[in-house]
Every structure is written in structure tokens, then in C-alpha cells.
Amino acid sequence: MIKKYVLLQVLTAALLLGGLEAAGGGFKIQDQSTRAMGMIDAFVAGADDASAVYYNPAGLTRLTNPQLIANLYFAHAETRYEGPGGTDHSDGRIYALPNFYFGLPLGEEHRWSAGIGVYSPFGLGSKWSADSPVRYHTTLAEIKMVNINPNLAFKVTDQLAVAAGANYYNSRIKMRNKINNPGTVPDGKQRLDADGDGWGYNLGLLYDLNERIDLGLTYRSPVTVTHRGNVTFEDTAVPTARPPGFTVATMRSEATTDLKYPALVSAGISAQATERWRFELAAEWQRWSTRDTQKFEIAGDPPYLPGGVEEQEINWSDSWVWMLGTEYDLSEKWRLRGGYAFNQSPVSARTADPSLAPGDTHAVSLGFGHTLRNNLKLDFASVISYQEKATIRGENAPPASSYETWGGYLSLGISWEF
């Protein structure tokens, strides 16, 4: 009974990982470039700058000069809770994430191109107060992720380009929650800190159907990251054979778990409606169904915390993100951008927890670009998102509790050709 109780607490808080949502599903961060974010990330077929490393590396073949892009992304979201204990909301903290891209055409004919990106494709988090109704399920849930992604692209013909790259994921998870001690004993605390890394690959294809229409397709492989770290229980009541039937103890143990980041398939069609106006319709399929169960192993801390392996049901589903974006050349120096996205949540209402509720998300974007001089450009983008109200009915949240989330996201970018 001790083992089952303790490990279930760990699994509930640590393995149903959550994050702020923008236009992506699960804990994926969809926005990876200021320019693309202004078009709600509908940039698979139209990718033509160094950020093609992420959106479609085959687009690196469109570069005519070396290019460096740097972006700073700000994310803010607040989740409202309704259920037993009344209403509450997460603290709506602000996360700031930088990303960088470099693209380089190779050879005199520029048939080969290379690029590298450093960015965060998954992560962010949520935080709740220490006296929140959801405190026994989560007070803090964070994922920090860095991906280093080199790519090589080749222009097979004047119409067809292909690319391939490697992905090195390095991620860290941080989880906090309170433990409900019996009687008048103050709440205990639980902490989990773990990090790990893993490797994957990506492929890209770009086809210019004609002068006005382009087609794009990309694939990113799944990546399994083995996280190793420590789990700590502070001031936690554990059963004893003597009155009052429990004692309060602090326990600490090594912990290991594999976190499966999903395979991603993206497709887009870009249309140049006029000389100044371009549209793109894009979709991304995210294979979250690999998160069906999760195993967790702890070494143990005798006599109260036995070691062992437990398995928790996750039961996520594959999901889609649909994006429609546009870019309009207002003048030689100014560009306007906008878009709408719909994200299907992969999260099961039966196994969800308050750090990541199961509602679908709608998002709209607005952005602009300004050319300072021929080789130097500035970009700005903003996104407002709404995650539909949804009810969690499983054991990982207060009974029949409902959640809805509003988010605001900003990004500033600079690109330099040389």
C-alpha cells in the first residue's frame, strides 16, 4: 500500500506533463519564428528564409545569400478553474524563449544549402498557488527543451528541392505539488527534477507547381528522452503500525522515466494570389497516441519509500493543427501578416490533470515586417488564443472540475543577410 500510494502521487504530478498552449497541441510550441508566427505558422510551402530549418528545410534552397535570424518569444497564459472548492486561476507567468537560425547557400549554382537552428519545440509550464483547490495535483509543471537542428538541402530540379537533418533534444522537467496529510497535519510537498537527451531526424520536400503555387511536406521523427533525476517528499505522512497510524517523514530517491516526443507530419500549399498578396493553408499531424502509458522507476528510500516500477495510463490521441495565414506587401519596406489556427487537443479528459486541460484551441495572429535596409529586417508578431472550456472527470484532478485558458504571445525578430 505504501508503494502504490507514493508512486501514484509521483505519476500523477510528474508524468501527465503540461504546458501553455499557443497554436500547437499537447505541450508543443508551434511558434518558432517571428515572421511565420505572424502568419499563424502557415509557412510549410512558403518557407524562404533561414527559419526554414524548422518549418521546411527544403526551403533553404531559396536563399541567395547567407542569413542569420534571431527571435525572442514571450508566452503568457492563464487557466481558470471551476469545481470543488470554488473558482481559481493559474498565476499566468511570462516565459521568454530565444531561438536562432542560420542558412547558407553552397557552391556557385546554389544547388546545395545548409542550415542550423537552435530552438525550443516543446515546453513551457503552468503554476498554481499553494492553497489552490488543485494543489494536490499540481502547483508547478514545467518542461524546458532545447533542440539543435542541423540540415542539408539539395535542389534536385528547378522545381523540386529535398532536405534532411538531425535533431538533438535536451530537456528538463520540473514538477511540484502538495500532499494531503491526515487530520490537522500541514500539507507535505513533492518535488521532481529530472533531465535527459535524445536524437531524431527530419525530412523536407518542396515542389514549385507553377509560378504561383508551391507545395511543401515535412516529417519529424519521434524522439524518446530518458529523464533521470530525483523525487523528494517533504513532511509526508506514511502509514505505521503504531498510533496515530502514521508518521511524518522526508524521503528522497533517484527517479527515471522515458518521455516520448511525438512524430510530426506537416503539409502546406502556398498561393501567390497577386504580386503583393500570398496565402498559405497548412496542416500538421501530431502522433501523440504513443503516449498511451508511462512507466516510472524509483530507486527507493527505505523504510518508507520502496523502490520499483509503476505504469500509469495516459491514453492521449493523435491530433491535427490547421493553419491559414497570409502575407501582404504593403510597400517596399512594410509587410502585413495575419492568420487563424485550430488545434485539436490530444489530451484525454479521463487522464488529464489541471496543468494541461483537454480543450481544443483557437488562435488568431497579427504581425508585420519592416525592412531597415536591403540586408536588415525587423519583424513583430502577436497571437491571442482561447482553449475551450473542458471538464476533467478522472482521478488526476478534483472531481468534475472544468478549465478554460486564454493566452497572449508576442515575438520580436531580426534577420540579417550578408
Side-chain angles (χ1 to χ4, degrees):
M1 291 180 62
I2 300 175
K3 177 181 175 182
K4 182 70 174 180
Y5 167 77
V6 173
L7 288 181
L8 188 57
Q9 290 288 325
V10 175
L11 288 162
T12 299
L15 300 181
L16 303 177
L17 298 170
L20 305 177
E21 288 193 73
F27 41 87
K28 184 176 185 292
I29 304 174
Q30 203 76 12
D31 307 316
Q32 297 298 334
S33 161
T34 305
R35 180 186 172 199
M37 179 178 166
M39 296 180 280
I40 208 67
D41 303 296
F43 200 54
V44 181
D48 58 1
D49 60 25
S51 70
V53 166
Y54 172 77
Y55 290 96
N56 187 344
L60 291 168
T61 59
R62 289 171 166 166
L63 295 177
T64 57
N65 296 292
Q67 185 182 51
L68 176 66
I69 296 178
N71 304 288
L72 185 59
Y73 174 68
F74 298 92
H76 168 84
E78 185 174 298
T79 298
R80 177 180 170 82
Y81 160 89
E82 293 182 7
T87 61
D88 198 9
H89 56 82
S90 61
D91 78 341
R93 56 179 42 197
I94 297 175
Y95 290 88
L97 299 176
N99 57 58
F100 306 93
Y101 301 97
F102 178 69
L104 176 67
L106 303 172
E108 294 182 1
E109 297 183 357
H110 294 175
R111 300 199 74 84
W112 288 91
S113 299
I116 188 169
V118 181
Y119 54 91
S120 301
F122 299 92
L124 301 179
S126 62
K127 187 176 187 297
W128 298 78
S129 65
D131 58 356
S132 167
V134 304
R135 64 188 181 276
Y136 300 129
H137 303 277
T138 181
T139 55
L140 176 68
E142 286 184 344
I143 302 176
K144 295 180 180 179
M145 152 77 77
V146 175
N147 181 26
I148 301 175
N149 182 202
N151 281 269
L152 189 63
F154 177 63
K155 197 168 186 178
V156 181
T157 69
D158 289 341
Q159 290 179 288
L160 177 65
V162 296
N167 293 269
Y168 171 69
Y169 284 12
N170 187 289
S171 69
R172 172 169 294 183
I173 55 178
K174 179 189 291 186
M175 305 292 155
R176 305 287 187 266
N177 67 279
K178 293 296 186 72
I179 294 177
N180 188 10
N181 285 328
T184 58
V185 179
D187 289 342
K189 299 178 182 178
Q190 178 180 293
R191 304 196 314 268
L192 174 73
D193 296 276
D195 52 35
D197 56 13
W199 287 88
Y201 66 91
N202 64 279
L203 305 171
L205 183 147
L206 195 61
Y207 185 73
D208 298 336
L209 188 63
N210 54 47
E211 292 182 356
R212 290 186 176 271
I213 298 178
D214 300 322
L215 306 176
L217 182 67
T218 69
Y219 172 77
R220 289 188 177 272
S221 71
V223 177
T224 298
V225 176
T226 299
H227 290 84
R228 295 182 174 88
N230 294 284
V231 60
T232 302
F233 298 87
E234 295 183 6
D235 303 325
T236 302
V238 293
T240 65
R242 299 178 180 179
F246 65 88
T247 186
V248 175
T250 293
M251 300 158 284
R252 185 173 185 268
S253 173
E254 294 180 356
T256 304
T257 189
D258 289 338
L259 182 57
K260 299 176 182 178
Y261 292 97
L264 307 170
V265 179
S266 300
I269 177 170
S270 176
Q272 192 73 39
T274 70
E275 290 185 0
R276 293 189 175 188
W277 207 342
R278 182 175 74 174
F279 292 87
E280 179 161 342
L281 175 65
E284 182 173 82
W285 177 71
Q286 303 174 352
R287 196 186 178 201
W288 290 106
S289 60
T290 54
R291 286 181 55 77
D292 52 352
T293 60
Q294 185 87 47
K295 291 183 179 180
F296 191 89
E297 180 178 0
I298 63 172
D301 184 12
Y304 302 116
L305 183 61
V309 177
E310 284 288 336
E311 187 173 287
Q312 176 82 347
E313 181 183 6
I314 304 297
N315 197 34
W316 283 19
S317 302
D318 298 336
S319 64
W320 286 88
V321 181
W322 295 91
M323 299 156 280
L324 177 62
T326 186
E327 184 174 57
Y328 181 74
D329 295 340
L330 189 63
S331 67
E332 291 185 0
K333 291 191 173 183
W334 290 93
R335 286 182 172 183
L336 299 180
R337 303 175 184 120
Y340 165 79
F342 172 74
N343 160 51
Q344 272 186 320
S345 175
V347 182
S348 167
R350 186 166 53 85
T351 62
D353 83 342
S355 66
L356 189 61
D360 295 335
T361 299
H362 304 265
V364 293
S365 68
L366 184 65
F368 64 82
H370 178 60
T371 301
L372 295 176
R373 53 178 188 263
N374 289 338
N375 65 339
L376 188 63
K377 299 177 181 179
L378 296 177
D379 291 294
F380 169 83
S382 61
V383 170
I384 296 176
S385 71
Y386 169 68
Q387 186 179 22
E388 296 174 359
K389 189 174 183 179
T391 299
I392 298 177
R393 302 187 183 280
E395 62 183 10
N396 300 318
S401 53
S402 298
Y403 306 81
E404 60 182 337
T405 300
W406 284 93
Y409 309 85
L410 298 174
S411 186
L412 304 173
I414 183 169
S415 63
W416 178 41
E417 287 189 5
F418 50 94

